[in-house]
Short mmCIF file of all heavy atoms in Angstrom, two decimals:
data_model
loop_
_atom_site.label_atom_id
_atom_site.label_comp_id
_atom_site.label_asym_id
_atom_site.label_seq_id
_atom_site.Cartn_x
_atom_site.Cartn_y
_atom_site.Cartn_z
N TRP A 62 -23.12 -19.48 -4.08
CA TRP A 62 -23.17 -20.26 -2.83
C TRP A 62 -24.60 -20.76 -2.58
O TRP A 62 -24.82 -21.93 -2.23
CB TRP A 62 -22.66 -19.38 -1.69
CG TRP A 62 -22.63 -20.02 -0.33
CD1 TRP A 62 -22.64 -21.35 -0.03
CD2 TRP A 62 -22.58 -19.33 0.91
NE1 TRP A 62 -22.61 -21.53 1.33
CE2 TRP A 62 -22.56 -20.30 1.93
CE3 TRP A 62 -22.54 -17.98 1.27
CZ2 TRP A 62 -22.52 -19.98 3.29
CZ3 TRP A 62 -22.49 -17.65 2.61
CH2 TRP A 62 -22.48 -18.63 3.61
N ALA A 63 -25.58 -19.86 -2.77
CA ALA A 63 -26.98 -20.22 -2.54
C ALA A 63 -27.46 -21.29 -3.52
O ALA A 63 -28.16 -22.24 -3.14
CB ALA A 63 -27.86 -18.98 -2.64
N ASN A 64 -27.08 -21.14 -4.77
CA ASN A 64 -27.63 -22.00 -5.82
C ASN A 64 -26.83 -23.26 -6.09
O ASN A 64 -27.38 -24.26 -6.58
CB ASN A 64 -27.75 -21.20 -7.13
CG ASN A 64 -28.73 -20.05 -7.01
OD1 ASN A 64 -29.78 -20.19 -6.39
ND2 ASN A 64 -28.39 -18.92 -7.60
N LEU A 65 -25.54 -23.23 -5.77
CA LEU A 65 -24.69 -24.36 -6.09
C LEU A 65 -24.09 -25.04 -4.87
O LEU A 65 -23.62 -26.18 -4.96
CB LEU A 65 -23.54 -23.90 -7.02
CG LEU A 65 -23.94 -23.33 -8.37
CD1 LEU A 65 -22.72 -22.74 -9.08
CD2 LEU A 65 -24.58 -24.41 -9.24
N ALA A 66 -24.06 -24.33 -3.74
CA ALA A 66 -23.42 -24.83 -2.53
C ALA A 66 -22.00 -25.31 -2.86
O ALA A 66 -21.26 -24.61 -3.55
CB ALA A 66 -24.26 -25.91 -1.87
N VAL A 67 -21.62 -26.49 -2.44
CA VAL A 67 -20.24 -26.93 -2.59
C VAL A 67 -19.81 -27.02 -4.06
O VAL A 67 -18.62 -26.89 -4.39
CB VAL A 67 -20.02 -28.28 -1.88
CG1 VAL A 67 -20.71 -29.43 -2.62
CG2 VAL A 67 -18.53 -28.55 -1.67
N GLU A 68 -20.79 -27.20 -4.96
CA GLU A 68 -20.45 -27.29 -6.38
C GLU A 68 -19.93 -25.99 -6.95
O GLU A 68 -19.38 -25.95 -8.05
CB GLU A 68 -21.69 -27.75 -7.17
CG GLU A 68 -22.09 -29.19 -6.89
CD GLU A 68 -21.01 -30.18 -7.30
OE1 GLU A 68 -20.81 -30.37 -8.51
OE2 GLU A 68 -20.33 -30.73 -6.40
N GLY A 69 -20.09 -24.89 -6.19
CA GLY A 69 -19.55 -23.61 -6.62
C GLY A 69 -18.04 -23.61 -6.77
O GLY A 69 -17.48 -22.80 -7.51
N HIS A 70 -17.37 -24.54 -6.09
CA HIS A 70 -15.92 -24.63 -6.24
C HIS A 70 -15.51 -24.90 -7.68
O HIS A 70 -14.46 -24.43 -8.13
CB HIS A 70 -15.37 -25.74 -5.33
CG HIS A 70 -15.26 -25.35 -3.90
ND1 HIS A 70 -16.23 -25.62 -2.97
CD2 HIS A 70 -14.28 -24.67 -3.24
CE1 HIS A 70 -15.87 -25.14 -1.79
NE2 HIS A 70 -14.69 -24.56 -1.92
N PHE A 71 -16.37 -25.64 -8.42
CA PHE A 71 -16.00 -26.01 -9.78
C PHE A 71 -16.98 -25.53 -10.85
O PHE A 71 -16.61 -25.43 -12.02
CB PHE A 71 -15.86 -27.53 -9.88
CG PHE A 71 -14.80 -28.09 -8.98
CD1 PHE A 71 -15.13 -28.69 -7.78
CD2 PHE A 71 -13.46 -27.98 -9.33
CE1 PHE A 71 -14.15 -29.18 -6.94
CE2 PHE A 71 -12.48 -28.48 -8.49
CZ PHE A 71 -12.82 -29.08 -7.29
N HIS A 72 -18.22 -25.23 -10.48
CA HIS A 72 -19.24 -25.00 -11.50
C HIS A 72 -19.84 -23.60 -11.48
O HIS A 72 -20.76 -23.32 -12.25
CB HIS A 72 -20.36 -26.04 -11.36
CG HIS A 72 -19.88 -27.45 -11.56
ND1 HIS A 72 -19.31 -27.87 -12.73
CD2 HIS A 72 -19.85 -28.52 -10.71
CE1 HIS A 72 -18.96 -29.15 -12.63
NE2 HIS A 72 -19.26 -29.56 -11.40
N SER A 73 -19.34 -22.70 -10.64
CA SER A 73 -19.80 -21.32 -10.70
C SER A 73 -19.16 -20.62 -11.89
O SER A 73 -18.22 -21.14 -12.51
CB SER A 73 -19.46 -20.58 -9.40
OG SER A 73 -18.08 -20.69 -9.13
N GLU A 74 -19.66 -19.42 -12.22
CA GLU A 74 -19.10 -18.69 -13.36
C GLU A 74 -17.62 -18.40 -13.16
O GLU A 74 -16.82 -18.48 -14.10
CB GLU A 74 -19.87 -17.38 -13.57
CG GLU A 74 -19.42 -16.63 -14.82
CD GLU A 74 -20.23 -15.37 -15.08
OE1 GLU A 74 -21.35 -15.28 -14.57
OE2 GLU A 74 -19.74 -14.50 -15.81
N LYS A 75 -17.25 -18.05 -11.94
CA LYS A 75 -15.84 -17.91 -11.57
C LYS A 75 -15.57 -18.97 -10.51
O LYS A 75 -15.72 -18.71 -9.32
CB LYS A 75 -15.54 -16.52 -11.00
CG LYS A 75 -15.76 -15.35 -11.96
CD LYS A 75 -15.32 -14.04 -11.29
CE LYS A 75 -15.56 -12.83 -12.17
NZ LYS A 75 -16.99 -12.45 -12.24
N PRO A 76 -15.20 -20.18 -10.91
CA PRO A 76 -15.03 -21.27 -9.94
C PRO A 76 -14.12 -20.86 -8.78
O PRO A 76 -13.09 -20.21 -8.97
CB PRO A 76 -14.40 -22.38 -10.78
CG PRO A 76 -14.89 -22.12 -12.17
CD PRO A 76 -14.92 -20.63 -12.30
N TRP A 77 -14.52 -21.25 -7.57
CA TRP A 77 -13.83 -20.79 -6.38
C TRP A 77 -12.44 -21.41 -6.25
O TRP A 77 -11.55 -20.79 -5.68
CB TRP A 77 -14.65 -21.11 -5.13
CG TRP A 77 -16.03 -20.54 -5.17
CD1 TRP A 77 -16.47 -19.44 -5.88
CD2 TRP A 77 -17.18 -21.04 -4.49
NE1 TRP A 77 -17.81 -19.22 -5.67
CE2 TRP A 77 -18.28 -20.20 -4.82
CE3 TRP A 77 -17.40 -22.12 -3.63
CZ2 TRP A 77 -19.56 -20.40 -4.32
CZ3 TRP A 77 -18.68 -22.33 -3.12
CH2 TRP A 77 -19.74 -21.47 -3.47
N TRP A 78 -12.26 -22.62 -6.76
CA TRP A 78 -10.99 -23.30 -6.51
C TRP A 78 -9.83 -22.61 -7.23
O TRP A 78 -8.68 -22.72 -6.80
CB TRP A 78 -11.09 -24.77 -6.90
CG TRP A 78 -10.80 -25.12 -8.32
CD1 TRP A 78 -11.44 -24.67 -9.42
CD2 TRP A 78 -9.77 -25.99 -8.78
NE1 TRP A 78 -10.91 -25.21 -10.55
CE2 TRP A 78 -9.86 -26.04 -10.18
CE3 TRP A 78 -8.78 -26.75 -8.16
CZ2 TRP A 78 -9.00 -26.80 -10.97
CZ3 TRP A 78 -7.92 -27.51 -8.95
CH2 TRP A 78 -8.04 -27.52 -10.34
N ASP A 79 -10.11 -21.87 -8.30
CA ASP A 79 -9.05 -21.11 -8.97
C ASP A 79 -9.37 -19.61 -9.03
O ASP A 79 -8.84 -18.88 -9.87
CB ASP A 79 -8.77 -21.66 -10.37
CG ASP A 79 -9.98 -21.57 -11.30
OD1 ASP A 79 -11.03 -21.02 -10.90
OD2 ASP A 79 -9.88 -22.06 -12.45
N TYR A 80 -10.23 -19.14 -8.13
CA TYR A 80 -10.66 -17.73 -8.13
C TYR A 80 -9.45 -16.80 -8.07
O TYR A 80 -9.39 -15.78 -8.75
CB TYR A 80 -11.58 -17.48 -6.93
CG TYR A 80 -12.41 -16.22 -7.02
CD1 TYR A 80 -13.71 -16.25 -7.53
CD2 TYR A 80 -11.92 -14.99 -6.59
CE1 TYR A 80 -14.50 -15.11 -7.60
CE2 TYR A 80 -12.68 -13.84 -6.67
CZ TYR A 80 -13.97 -13.91 -7.17
OH TYR A 80 -14.74 -12.78 -7.25
N HIS A 81 -8.48 -17.17 -7.27
CA HIS A 81 -7.31 -16.30 -7.06
C HIS A 81 -6.48 -16.12 -8.33
O HIS A 81 -5.75 -15.14 -8.46
CB HIS A 81 -6.42 -16.87 -5.96
CG HIS A 81 -5.83 -18.21 -6.30
ND1 HIS A 81 -6.53 -19.39 -6.17
CD2 HIS A 81 -4.60 -18.56 -6.77
CE1 HIS A 81 -5.77 -20.39 -6.54
NE2 HIS A 81 -4.60 -19.93 -6.91
N GLU A 82 -6.59 -17.06 -9.26
CA GLU A 82 -5.79 -16.96 -10.47
C GLU A 82 -6.19 -15.77 -11.34
O GLU A 82 -5.41 -15.32 -12.18
CB GLU A 82 -5.88 -18.26 -11.27
CG GLU A 82 -5.25 -19.45 -10.54
CD GLU A 82 -5.37 -20.75 -11.30
OE1 GLU A 82 -5.81 -20.72 -12.47
OE2 GLU A 82 -5.04 -21.81 -10.72
N ARG A 83 -7.39 -15.24 -11.14
CA ARG A 83 -7.85 -14.07 -11.89
C ARG A 83 -7.09 -12.81 -11.50
O ARG A 83 -7.19 -11.80 -12.20
CB ARG A 83 -9.35 -13.88 -11.68
CG ARG A 83 -10.17 -14.98 -12.34
CD ARG A 83 -11.60 -15.09 -11.81
NE ARG A 83 -12.30 -16.17 -12.48
CZ ARG A 83 -12.17 -17.46 -12.16
NH1 ARG A 83 -11.39 -17.81 -11.16
NH2 ARG A 83 -12.82 -18.39 -12.82
N PHE A 84 -6.36 -12.86 -10.41
CA PHE A 84 -5.59 -11.69 -9.96
C PHE A 84 -4.22 -11.61 -10.64
O PHE A 84 -3.61 -10.55 -10.64
CB PHE A 84 -5.36 -11.75 -8.44
CG PHE A 84 -6.58 -11.49 -7.62
CD1 PHE A 84 -7.48 -12.51 -7.35
CD2 PHE A 84 -6.84 -10.24 -7.11
CE1 PHE A 84 -8.61 -12.28 -6.58
CE2 PHE A 84 -7.96 -9.98 -6.34
CZ PHE A 84 -8.86 -11.01 -6.08
N ALA A 85 -3.74 -12.71 -11.17
CA ALA A 85 -2.34 -12.77 -11.60
C ALA A 85 -2.00 -11.71 -12.63
O ALA A 85 -1.02 -10.97 -12.47
CB ALA A 85 -2.02 -14.17 -12.14
N ASN A 86 -2.76 -11.61 -13.71
CA ASN A 86 -2.43 -10.65 -14.76
C ASN A 86 -2.60 -9.20 -14.31
O ASN A 86 -1.68 -8.40 -14.47
CB ASN A 86 -3.24 -10.94 -16.02
CG ASN A 86 -2.67 -12.12 -16.79
OD1 ASN A 86 -1.47 -12.22 -16.99
ND2 ASN A 86 -3.54 -13.02 -17.22
N PRO A 87 -3.78 -8.81 -13.76
CA PRO A 87 -3.89 -7.40 -13.37
C PRO A 87 -2.94 -7.00 -12.24
O PRO A 87 -2.37 -5.91 -12.28
CB PRO A 87 -5.36 -7.27 -12.95
CG PRO A 87 -5.85 -8.65 -12.68
CD PRO A 87 -5.06 -9.54 -13.59
N LEU A 88 -2.75 -7.86 -11.25
CA LEU A 88 -1.84 -7.51 -10.15
C LEU A 88 -0.41 -7.41 -10.63
O LEU A 88 0.36 -6.57 -10.16
CB LEU A 88 -1.92 -8.56 -9.03
CG LEU A 88 -2.82 -8.26 -7.84
CD1 LEU A 88 -2.69 -9.36 -6.79
CD2 LEU A 88 -2.52 -6.90 -7.22
N SER A 89 -0.03 -8.27 -11.58
CA SER A 89 1.35 -8.22 -12.08
C SER A 89 1.64 -6.88 -12.75
O SER A 89 2.77 -6.38 -12.69
CB SER A 89 1.61 -9.37 -13.06
OG SER A 89 0.88 -9.21 -14.26
N LYS A 90 0.61 -6.28 -13.37
CA LYS A 90 0.80 -4.96 -13.98
C LYS A 90 0.84 -3.85 -12.93
O LYS A 90 1.55 -2.85 -13.08
CB LYS A 90 -0.31 -4.71 -15.01
CG LYS A 90 -0.14 -5.53 -16.28
CD LYS A 90 -1.19 -5.23 -17.31
CE LYS A 90 -2.44 -6.06 -17.11
NZ LYS A 90 -3.44 -5.87 -18.18
N ILE A 91 0.09 -4.03 -11.86
CA ILE A 91 0.05 -3.02 -10.79
C ILE A 91 1.39 -2.95 -10.06
O ILE A 91 1.87 -1.86 -9.71
CB ILE A 91 -1.10 -3.30 -9.81
CG1 ILE A 91 -2.46 -3.07 -10.52
CG2 ILE A 91 -1.00 -2.43 -8.56
CD1 ILE A 91 -3.65 -3.55 -9.72
N VAL A 92 2.03 -4.11 -9.82
CA VAL A 92 3.28 -4.10 -9.06
C VAL A 92 4.51 -4.34 -9.94
O VAL A 92 5.64 -4.34 -9.43
CB VAL A 92 3.24 -5.12 -7.89
CG1 VAL A 92 2.11 -4.79 -6.94
CG2 VAL A 92 3.16 -6.55 -8.38
#
Side-chain angles (χ1 to χ4, degrees):
W62 180 20
N64 296 321
L65 298 172
V67 71
E68 292 297 288
H70 281 95
F71 299 101
H72 298 300
S73 54
E74 185 177 340
K75 297 184 182 75
W77 304 335
W78 87 300
D79 61 3
Y80 197 94
H81 64 279
E82 294 179 8
R83 292 162 180 80
F84 288 84
N86 282 315
L88 263 184
S89 69
K90 287 183 273 185
I91 292 170
V92 300

